[in-house]
Amino acid sequence: LRTVMRIDPLLELWKKKCVRRDQLADMTGVDPGDAKTWREFIGRLLDRARDGGAVGIKQLQAYHRSLDFQHRTDGDVKFRGGLSDGETRAFQDWVVHECCKQAHERHWPHQCHVGTNNLSQSSPLPLEALAKRYPGMPLVLLHCWPFLAESGYLAKMAPSVHLDSCWQAVLSPAFHAEAMRLWLGYAPAHKILCAHDATSVEMAAGSALFVRETLAKEIQAAGGGRDTAQALLHDN
């Protein structure tokens, strides 16, 4: 069992008074207040996560804002204080790009929640720009429903984009079946993962059953076999 480091809490560390930022500054030995110190701060956090066994990063930002993270220069960003809405967005964009840049350099995957909530702003299509800018960072799209076609398109067209159907079977086994029908034979099979995202033992058991029932039918319909199931359930 390995873990990934959530980066979305970092997007709130711009406030003038911020207990979490102060605690992390004490832990890393870097008080982030400008572009240079923020880069060092993020690097030390990722190093500490790595030393603790982490293998990647993750964000849940789609629950709160769009996934359109614009590239910002250092001079575009105010890093602390009473930020306006526009300044806050610029800061958040900068932090996400810096995390992705460092993940790219480490060849770490980045799990990103897509869909299931905040539907007007959780389309995966804006993430294509991140995938192209940081090709060394495998970008794993989580959930994807109801943006199944859009997610499948990105996985087919962008070499670093992968698909994880986690949570689909919990929402409805029919959603997982729909995803497999859309993705198998279209998106490269080595880019499709079938996880669970369960929050209880009962949910994990139910998800495992639904996922396997779906795969038994849809893989056969797509002309695949046990090797495809092995890839989707484990190897990928």
Side-chain angles (χ1 to χ4, degrees):
L1 182 66
R2 306 296 290 274
T3 189
V4 293
M5 190 186 96
R6 291 239 332 245
I7 66 169
D8 43 297
L10 301 179
L11 276 62
E12 304 303 321
L13 302 189
W14 52 267
K15 299 171 184 176
K16 187 174 182 179
K17 292 185 178 180
C18 181
V19 173
R20 171 174 276 180
R21 183 190 61 233
D22 294 343
Q23 291 174 335
L24 291 174
D26 289 341
M27 185 185 77
T28 60
V30 179
D31 184 17
D34 56 22
K36 180 181 178 181
T37 51
W38 258 98
R39 288 192 177 94
E40 185 177 2
F41 176 69
I42 290 172
R44 293 196 182 186
L45 285 175
L46 295 182
D47 286 344
R48 189 178 179 93
R50 176 204 61 206
D51 294 344
V55 294
I57 59 175
K58 175 181 181 177
Q59 65 159 299
L60 285 70
Q61 216 55 45
Y63 291 130
H64 309 291
R65 54 156 284 178
S66 79
L67 297 174
D68 184 13
F69 299 106
Q70 298 292 316
H71 184 259
R72 312 280 186 165
T73 66
D74 294 352
D76 292 335
V77 181
K78 184 177 179 181
F79 289 89
R80 187 178 298 188
L83 275 58
S84 66
D85 289 346
E87 290 170 335
T88 299
R89 191 175 187 87
F91 168 81
Q92 293 177 341
D93 290 348
W94 188 97
V95 170
V96 168
H97 273 268
E98 183 58 32
C99 288
C100 290
K101 178 177 179 291
Q102 296 201 30
H104 159 81
E105 293 169 350
R106 297 164 185 259
H107 300 288
W108 270 18
H110 178 189
Q111 294 182 331
C112 188
H113 283 230
V114 170
T116 72
N117 192 289
N118 192 23
L119 295 184
S120 65
Q121 299 191 80
S122 59
S123 167
L125 292 179
L127 294 172
E128 184 176 17
L130 281 183
K132 289 182 176 180
R133 193 173 192 93
Y134 308 106
M137 175 190 72
L139 183 59
V140 184
L141 308 183
L142 302 179
H143 317 316
C144 301
W145 186 89
F147 302 106
L148 301 178
E150 293 89 340
S151 300
Y153 166 81
L154 289 182
K156 183 176 180 65
M157 302 306 294
S160 62
V161 173
H162 302 255
L163 306 167
D164 191 334
S165 66
C166 66
W167 196 245
Q168 291 176 7
V170 176
L171 291 171
S172 171
F175 295 163
H176 187 242
E178 180 185 6
M180 294 302 104
R181 283 194 293 271
L182 281 170
W183 294 347
L184 289 171
Y186 177 68
H190 70 275
K191 290 184 165 194
I192 303 173
L193 300 79
C194 293
H196 295 157
D197 207 16
T199 58
S200 68
V201 172
E202 293 82 2
M203 189 183 295
S207 295
L209 174 63
F210 290 146
V211 166
R212 283 159 175 74
E213 287 180 344
T214 297
L215 292 182
K217 179 179 179 180
E218 301 304 334
I219 289 177
Q220 184 178 33
R226 292 180 62 88
D227 56 338
T228 304
Q230 173 78 14
L232 269 59
L233 290 170
H234 180 270
D235 295 349
N236 294 348

